[in-house]
Amino acid sequence: MSPRNRPEENGWIEVITGCMFSGKTEELLRRVRRAELAGHEVKLFKPAVDDRYGETEIGSHNGNQRTAEVVESAEELDSEAYVVGVDEANFFDEQLVDKVQSLAERGHRVIVSGIDSTFRGEPFPPLPQLMAQAEFVDKLNAVCVKCGEPATRNQRLVDGEPAHIDDPTVVVGADEKYEARCRSCFKIRTD
Ligand code: ADP
Ligand code: MG
Ligand code: ZN
């Protein structure tokens, strides 16, 4: 997807989105590796809320890891590095959009990775807003764990049962589980 025919001095935004397990982090780390091969300096950020792979690691479910700076809010996203990467971007608030826009306007290549829909299957700010402003958007699929079709949904399970529609959107560290599922295998409780 590498941008062609671009003025050298321009910055831009790349969004890597899709459901959990779709390979967003894997793809972010792939782009970072290639940017470094090209001699570009890279700075990675992730939000403090996600502590799945330790304080300063960005981790892919495929085992790849990279050190990142953990920040409390989008306000802290700033760097002199030409390439700025942000993982788990769905845990930032809508301030992220302006912050990323201003980095791109200052000439940075900004790569943002995060899920675009909630466990209810609805748009999950700020990724949809960012997708509307990005130069490049890649929406990845996982494999549906029920039927093997392309998965686009985050199935939240609480004690093995589909979560209720009224549950909070973000729950960190609760006793729950997520699965990648397709449109027809995705279930939500409304009773
Ligand atoms: P994301 O950042 O989108 O959550 P990761 O980059 O962390 O995804 O992980 C992608 C990897 O997850 C895949 O390469 C694969 O090894 C693994 N994986 C586990 N479950 C699934 C699934 N249901 N569909 C696709 N990949 C899966
Ligand atoms: Mg990830
Ligand atoms: Zn399915």
mmCIF file of all heavy atoms in Angstrom, residues 41-45 69 75-85 99 103 106 108:
data_model
loop_
_atom_site.group_PDB
_atom_site.id
_atom_site.type_symbol
_atom_site.label_atom_id
_atom_site.label_comp_id
_atom_site.label_asym_id
_atom_site.label_seq_id
_atom_site.Cartn_x
_atom_site.Cartn_y
_atom_site.Cartn_z
ATOM 1 N N GLU A 41 13.666 7.276 11.112
ATOM 2 C CA GLU A 41 13.562 7.147 12.560
ATOM 3 C C GLU A 41 12.107 6.873 12.930
ATOM 4 O O GLU A 41 11.185 7.488 12.371
ATOM 5 C CB GLU A 41 14.044 8.431 13.231
ATOM 6 C CG GLU A 41 14.460 8.227 14.668
ATOM 7 C CD GLU A 41 14.722 9.532 15.397
ATOM 8 O OE1 GLU A 41 15.165 10.504 14.740
ATOM 9 O OE2 GLU A 41 14.452 9.576 16.611
ATOM 10 N N VAL A 42 11.885 5.978 13.889
ATOM 11 C CA VAL A 42 10.520 5.588 14.266
ATOM 12 C C VAL A 42 10.313 5.751 15.768
ATOM 13 O O VAL A 42 11.169 5.395 16.566
ATOM 14 C CB VAL A 42 10.244 4.102 13.905
ATOM 15 C CG1 VAL A 42 8.857 3.687 14.365
ATOM 16 C CG2 VAL A 42 10.407 3.863 12.411
ATOM 17 N N LYS A 43 9.161 6.313 16.118
ATOM 18 C CA LYS A 43 8.781 6.407 17.527
ATOM 19 C C LYS A 43 7.404 5.767 17.696
ATOM 20 O O LYS A 43 6.474 6.078 16.942
ATOM 21 C CB LYS A 43 8.721 7.884 17.937
ATOM 22 C CG LYS A 43 8.177 8.131 19.305
ATOM 23 C CD LYS A 43 9.202 7.868 20.385
ATOM 24 C CE LYS A 43 8.605 8.102 21.764
ATOM 25 N NZ LYS A 43 9.590 7.913 22.821
ATOM 26 N N LEU A 44 7.277 4.851 18.668
ATOM 27 C CA LEU A 44 6.014 4.145 18.874
ATOM 28 C C LEU A 44 5.366 4.530 20.196
ATOM 29 O O LEU A 44 6.053 4.681 21.215
ATOM 30 C CB LEU A 44 6.251 2.632 18.870
ATOM 31 C CG LEU A 44 6.610 2.010 17.520
ATOM 32 C CD1 LEU A 44 6.951 0.540 17.695
ATOM 33 C CD2 LEU A 44 5.440 2.154 16.553
ATOM 34 N N PHE A 45 4.059 4.653 20.168
ATOM 35 C CA PHE A 45 3.294 4.970 21.373
ATOM 36 C C PHE A 45 2.187 3.954 21.568
ATOM 37 O O PHE A 45 1.660 3.376 20.602
ATOM 38 C CB PHE A 45 2.629 6.345 21.248
ATOM 39 C CG PHE A 45 3.586 7.493 21.220
ATOM 40 C CD1 PHE A 45 3.961 8.058 20.011
ATOM 41 C CD2 PHE A 45 4.104 8.019 22.397
ATOM 42 C CE1 PHE A 45 4.840 9.137 19.973
ATOM 43 C CE2 PHE A 45 4.980 9.085 22.372
ATOM 44 C CZ PHE A 45 5.350 9.653 21.154
ATOM 45 N N GLU A 69 6.522 3.858 23.908
ATOM 46 C CA GLU A 69 6.307 4.730 25.062
ATOM 47 C C GLU A 69 4.833 4.679 25.442
ATOM 48 O O GLU A 69 3.951 4.838 24.593
ATOM 49 C CB GLU A 69 6.720 6.164 24.732
ATOM 50 C CG GLU A 69 6.592 7.078 25.936
ATOM 51 C CD GLU A 69 7.116 8.476 25.664
ATOM 52 O OE1 GLU A 69 7.945 8.640 24.746
ATOM 53 O OE2 GLU A 69 6.665 9.395 26.376
ATOM 54 N N GLU A 75 -2.715 13.769 24.076
ATOM 55 C CA GLU A 75 -1.972 15.029 24.183
ATOM 56 C C GLU A 75 -0.457 14.818 24.191
ATOM 57 O O GLU A 75 0.295 15.659 23.729
ATOM 58 C CB GLU A 75 -2.372 15.706 25.483
ATOM 59 C CG GLU A 75 -2.659 17.179 25.364
ATOM 60 C CD GLU A 75 -3.280 17.686 26.655
ATOM 61 O OE1 GLU A 75 -4.275 17.077 27.102
ATOM 62 O OE2 GLU A 75 -2.748 18.647 27.198
ATOM 63 N N GLU A 76 -0.042 13.688 24.749
ATOM 64 C CA GLU A 76 1.394 13.423 24.903
ATOM 65 C C GLU A 76 2.055 12.863 23.641
ATOM 66 O O GLU A 76 3.254 12.581 23.643
ATOM 67 C CB GLU A 76 1.606 12.421 26.042
ATOM 68 C CG GLU A 76 1.168 12.918 27.403
ATOM 69 C CD GLU A 76 1.135 11.781 28.402
ATOM 70 O OE1 GLU A 76 2.189 11.210 28.701
ATOM 71 O OE2 GLU A 76 0.028 11.438 28.854
ATOM 72 N N LEU A 77 1.276 12.689 22.576
ATOM 73 C CA LEU A 77 1.850 12.116 21.354
ATOM 74 C C LEU A 77 2.639 13.181 20.612
ATOM 75 O O LEU A 77 2.064 14.031 19.933
ATOM 76 C CB LEU A 77 0.747 11.583 20.426
ATOM 77 C CG LEU A 77 -0.126 10.465 20.975
ATOM 78 C CD1 LEU A 77 -1.193 10.105 19.964
ATOM 79 C CD2 LEU A 77 0.722 9.246 21.304
ATOM 80 N N ASP A 78 3.932 13.129 20.749
ATOM 81 C CA ASP A 78 4.772 14.090 20.065
ATOM 82 C C ASP A 78 6.158 13.490 19.901
ATOM 83 O O ASP A 78 6.630 12.788 20.792
ATOM 84 C CB ASP A 78 4.850 15.387 20.877
ATOM 85 C CG ASP A 78 5.140 16.568 19.975
ATOM 86 O OD1 ASP A 78 5.168 16.373 18.741
ATOM 87 O OD2 ASP A 78 5.350 17.665 20.498
ATOM 88 N N SER A 79 6.779 13.758 18.768
ATOM 89 C CA SER A 79 8.115 13.222 18.555
ATOM 90 C C SER A 79 8.782 13.947 17.412
ATOM 91 O O SER A 79 8.111 14.511 16.538
ATOM 92 C CB SER A 79 8.025 11.740 18.244
ATOM 93 O OG SER A 79 9.298 11.247 17.906
ATOM 94 N N GLU A 80 10.103 13.914 17.425
ATOM 95 C CA GLU A 80 10.867 14.446 16.297
ATOM 96 C C GLU A 80 11.034 13.383 15.211
ATOM 97 O O GLU A 80 11.440 13.684 14.101
ATOM 98 C CB GLU A 80 12.257 14.911 16.766
ATOM 99 C CG GLU A 80 12.226 16.160 17.638
ATOM 100 C CD GLU A 80 11.505 17.318 16.968
ATOM 101 O OE1 GLU A 80 11.847 17.642 15.813
ATOM 102 O OE2 GLU A 80 10.584 17.885 17.591
ATOM 103 N N ALA A 81 10.746 12.126 15.561
ATOM 104 C CA ALA A 81 10.944 11.041 14.596
ATOM 105 C C ALA A 81 10.038 11.235 13.385
ATOM 106 O O ALA A 81 8.888 11.665 13.523
ATOM 107 C CB ALA A 81 10.662 9.700 15.259
ATOM 108 N N TYR A 82 10.541 10.879 12.214
ATOM 109 C CA TYR A 82 9.748 11.032 10.982
ATOM 110 C C TYR A 82 8.514 10.126 11.008
ATOM 111 O O TYR A 82 7.410 10.544 10.662
ATOM 112 C CB TYR A 82 10.632 10.704 9.769
ATOM 113 C CG TYR A 82 9.871 10.593 8.481
ATOM 114 C CD1 TYR A 82 9.107 11.663 8.013
ATOM 115 C CD2 TYR A 82 9.917 9.418 7.731
ATOM 116 C CE1 TYR A 82 8.397 11.565 6.827
ATOM 117 C CE2 TYR A 82 9.215 9.312 6.542
ATOM 118 C CZ TYR A 82 8.455 10.382 6.098
ATOM 119 O OH TYR A 82 7.755 10.270 4.937
ATOM 120 N N VAL A 83 8.694 8.894 11.452
ATOM 121 C CA VAL A 83 7.560 7.957 11.515
ATOM 122 C C VAL A 83 7.062 7.863 12.959
ATOM 123 O O VAL A 83 7.827 7.576 13.868
ATOM 124 C CB VAL A 83 7.964 6.546 11.023
ATOM 125 C CG1 VAL A 83 6.781 5.578 11.122
ATOM 126 C CG2 VAL A 83 8.489 6.608 9.590
ATOM 127 N N VAL A 84 5.770 8.126 13.131
ATOM 128 C CA VAL A 84 5.165 8.015 14.457
ATOM 129 C C VAL A 84 4.088 6.934 14.391
ATOM 130 O O VAL A 84 3.155 7.024 13.578
ATOM 131 C CB VAL A 84 4.543 9.351 14.910
ATOM 132 C CG1 VAL A 84 3.857 9.199 16.271
ATOM 133 C CG2 VAL A 84 5.616 10.446 14.982
ATOM 134 N N GLY A 85 4.224 5.901 15.211
ATOM 135 C CA GLY A 85 3.264 4.794 15.225
ATOM 136 C C GLY A 85 2.468 4.797 16.511
ATOM 137 O O GLY A 85 3.000 5.071 17.584
ATOM 138 N N LYS A 99 -4.587 15.538 17.130
ATOM 139 C CA LYS A 99 -3.162 15.337 17.403
ATOM 140 C C LYS A 99 -2.463 14.685 16.205
ATOM 141 O O LYS A 99 -1.395 15.122 15.761
ATOM 142 C CB LYS A 99 -3.046 14.459 18.645
ATOM 143 C CG LYS A 99 -1.736 14.513 19.307
ATOM 144 C CD LYS A 99 -1.477 15.845 19.964
ATOM 145 C CE LYS A 99 0.031 16.045 20.094
ATOM 146 N NZ LYS A 99 0.386 17.274 20.777
ATOM 147 N N LEU A 103 0.363 16.217 13.524
ATOM 148 C CA LEU A 103 1.637 15.539 13.218
ATOM 149 C C LEU A 103 1.811 15.379 11.709
ATOM 150 O O LEU A 103 2.879 15.645 11.157
ATOM 151 C CB LEU A 103 1.680 14.167 13.896
ATOM 152 C CG LEU A 103 2.014 14.141 15.392
ATOM 153 C CD1 LEU A 103 1.680 12.780 15.998
ATOM 154 C CD2 LEU A 103 3.490 14.469 15.626
ATOM 155 N N ARG A 106 2.675 18.542 10.043
ATOM 156 C CA ARG A 106 4.068 18.930 10.280
ATOM 157 C C ARG A 106 5.047 18.025 9.535
ATOM 158 O O ARG A 106 6.261 18.101 9.736
ATOM 159 C CB ARG A 106 4.365 18.939 11.780
ATOM 160 C CG ARG A 106 3.881 20.237 12.438
ATOM 161 C CD ARG A 106 3.751 20.146 13.946
ATOM 162 N NE ARG A 106 4.759 19.307 14.565
ATOM 163 C CZ ARG A 106 4.546 18.586 15.656
ATOM 164 N NH1 ARG A 106 3.370 18.587 16.244
ATOM 165 N NH2 ARG A 106 5.506 17.856 16.171
ATOM 166 N N HIS A 108 5.032 14.488 9.348
ATOM 167 C CA HIS A 108 5.279 13.127 9.832
ATOM 168 C C HIS A 108 4.459 12.096 9.056
ATOM 169 O O HIS A 108 3.350 12.390 8.598
ATOM 170 C CB HIS A 108 4.914 13.004 11.312
ATOM 171 C CG HIS A 108 5.821 13.786 12.218
ATOM 172 N ND1 HIS A 108 6.989 13.268 12.728
ATOM 173 C CD2 HIS A 108 5.725 15.054 12.687
ATOM 174 C CE1 HIS A 108 7.575 14.182 13.492
ATOM 175 N NE2 HIS A 108 6.839 15.271 13.479
#
